[in-house]
Amino acid sequence: MEQSAETQSKRLFSLDVFRGAVMFLLIAEAAGFHESFAKLTDGTPFSFLALQVQHHPWNGLRFWDLIQPFFMFIVGVAMPFSLRKRVATETRWQATKHIFRRCFLLFSFGILLHWVYSHSPVWELWNVLVQLAFTILIAYGIMNQSYRFQIGVSVALLIFTEVLYRTYNPAAPYAQNHESFGAWFDMLTMGKTNGGYWVFVNFIPTAAHTIWGVVCGQLLLSKNSEKQNLKSFLIWGTVIMALGFSMDWLEITPIIKRIATTSFTLASGGICILTLTFFYWVIDVQDYKKRWLVIFSVVGTNSIFIYLFSENLIFCGRRACLTP
């Protein structure tokens, strides 16, 4: 059954629900659920679940490490839908100006959040919004090209990342220290490194998440049948995820979220595609559009506001805890 033009012109409800679910997870963190759950399960057989809502300290993958990839991937999926709507009433140049303006705002909001964290103007580029501003620009710059070209660029970005890290420190390219290419680039651009080992240059490999999202969005807007899209998503999601985990298991490149290694980008990217497949199949293909899902959709359509709200709420909560 092919998708009708009417269906293609509407918002993808499953995508809004997917995005809303991710936002609710961020709200839960802001509300202190993660810390409360960790205390509640401490010393019990369920304590391993509490670890899943915390970032892995280095080599490994936990559920919470998927939140940023989900965020960047979902933005990519939404881009073809948003652009299609805009070019129907605007020129391509107007749509491009909108993208640049949005990226500038994302970059600015990311910088301002670090000002809030530090209580003073600082030049820090580790925030996800800053990263997203760059990945959107990269993905938008090539989204009019063929699927093969876009995927080729994403692969090139991953290979480029491997080359940068391995060339800079051949002996220990992914060691947990401040002697990696990412740390060097942070010193070059910000004059400092991050105590948690996060690096600004993560936007290069994670641009693949946004690019893959764009390709998935374009497939959903194509004349492909729902069955064809589901088959493509299942195959490619599984292959990409398996490749990422294989690189880690074979000790080629470790899965490290904090510096977005290629294996992490592949493993998490594959999971993103498979998660979209699940939401798309259940909600759009099986037409499971219950009223209770609307709240996720509403939250999903206001994702940037929710993110800013949750980040400020988390910060204020931590500050209150530290205040005697």
Side-chain angles (χ1 to χ4, degrees):
M1 180 179 66
E2 293 191 354
Q3 297 167 305
S4 65
E6 180 183 0
T7 301
Q8 293 180 36
S9 66
K10 295 179 180 178
R11 294 185 68 93
L12 191 66
F13 187 57
S14 58
L15 181 64
D16 286 335
V17 174
F18 182 9
R19 180 163 42 196
V22 172
M23 293 302 106
F24 266 108
L25 289 170
L26 289 174
I27 293 171
E29 182 191 26
F33 170 79
H34 295 184
E35 292 181 7
S36 299
F37 185 65
K39 292 177 181 178
L40 183 65
T41 58
D42 187 33
T44 72
F46 299 99
S47 59
F48 76 97
L49 292 174
L51 292 177
Q52 294 304 311
V53 289
Q54 301 174 27
H55 287 301
H56 199 288
W58 198 246
N59 182 197
L61 184 66
R62 294 175 179 170
F63 174 75
W64 203 247
D65 295 327
L66 297 171
I67 298 300
Q68 180 175 347
F70 281 157
F71 203 55
M72 291 183 161
F73 175 77
I74 289 169
V75 168
V77 178
M79 284 174 65
F81 289 86
S82 177
L83 184 62
R84 182 188 180 96
K85 183 178 179 180
R86 284 194 166 275
V87 296
T89 57
E90 301 176 357
T91 65
R92 182 72 187 211
W93 172 238
Q94 287 175 316
T96 300
K97 286 197 297 184
H98 171 78
I99 289 291
F100 276 99
R101 182 166 59 249
R102 183 177 184 183
C103 290
F104 174 76
L105 288 174
L106 288 171
F107 183 87
S108 300
F109 286 147
I111 295 295
L112 289 173
L113 275 176
H114 281 289
W115 289 20
V116 172
Y117 303 153
S118 303
H119 304 293
S120 63
V122 293
W123 179 244
E124 295 178 354
L125 306 171
W126 298 301
N127 188 272
V128 62
L129 297 183
V130 173
Q131 306 273 319
L132 189 58
F134 285 96
T135 68
I136 288 175
L137 287 176
I138 294 171
Y140 180 74
I142 62 173
M143 68 183 295
N144 278 341
Q145 303 299 320
S146 67
Y147 300 150
R148 182 174 296 182
F149 182 87
Q150 293 180 70
I151 293 170
V153 170
S154 71
V155 172
L157 290 173
L158 296 181
I159 294 174
F160 185 50
T161 300
E162 284 280 344
V163 171
L164 289 174
Y165 275 89
R166 293 181 182 277
T167 302
Y168 181 79
N169 188 353
Y174 305 113
Q176 189 176 9
N177 53 38
H178 291 295
E179 298 178 6
S180 69
F181 172 79
W184 172 83
F185 195 74
D186 283 352
M187 288 299 298
L188 180 67
T189 55
M190 292 176 277
K192 63 180 78 172
T193 56
N194 185 280
Y197 300 104
W198 305 102
V199 296
F200 166 51
V201 78
N202 281 355
F203 76 87
I204 294 178
T206 57
H209 289 145
T210 308
I211 293 171
W212 295 338
V214 168
V215 173
C216 288
Q218 290 173 331
L219 284 172
L220 290 170
L221 281 173
S222 71
K223 294 182 179 181
N224 288 349
S225 67
E226 293 168 340
K227 184 178 180 180
Q228 286 175 311
N229 285 333
L230 286 171
K231 182 179 179 181
S232 296
F233 293 166
L234 280 172
I235 292 174
W236 286 107
T238 301
V239 168
I240 293 170
M241 180 183 67
L243 181 58
F245 280 113
S246 296
M247 290 178 70
D248 183 73
W249 293 333
L250 296 174
E251 298 184 353
I252 299 172
T253 301
I255 290 178
I256 304 171
K257 189 264 189 289
R258 293 172 187 264
I259 58 173
T261 56
T262 54
S263 54
F264 165 77
T265 305
L266 288 164
S268 58
I271 294 172
C272 286
I273 296 172
L274 293 176
T275 305
L276 173 67
T277 306
F278 172 77
F279 277 94
Y280 176 61
W281 177 72
V282 172
I283 296 174
D284 289 311
V285 177
Q286 297 298 315
D287 201 31
Y288 187 83
K289 298 178 181 178
K290 303 298 183 181
R291 285 188 176 182
W292 64 272
L293 291 174
V294 173
I295 188 171
F296 288 96
S297 177
V298 171
V299 171
T301 56
N302 295 278
S303 57
I304 300 301
F305 169 78
I306 295 296
Y307 176 78
L308 291 170
F309 173 78
S310 63
E311 283 295 297
N312 278 282
L313 190 59
I314 291 171
F315 171 76
C316 291
R318 288 173 180 169
R319 184 181 179 186
C321 291
L322 294 173
T323 302

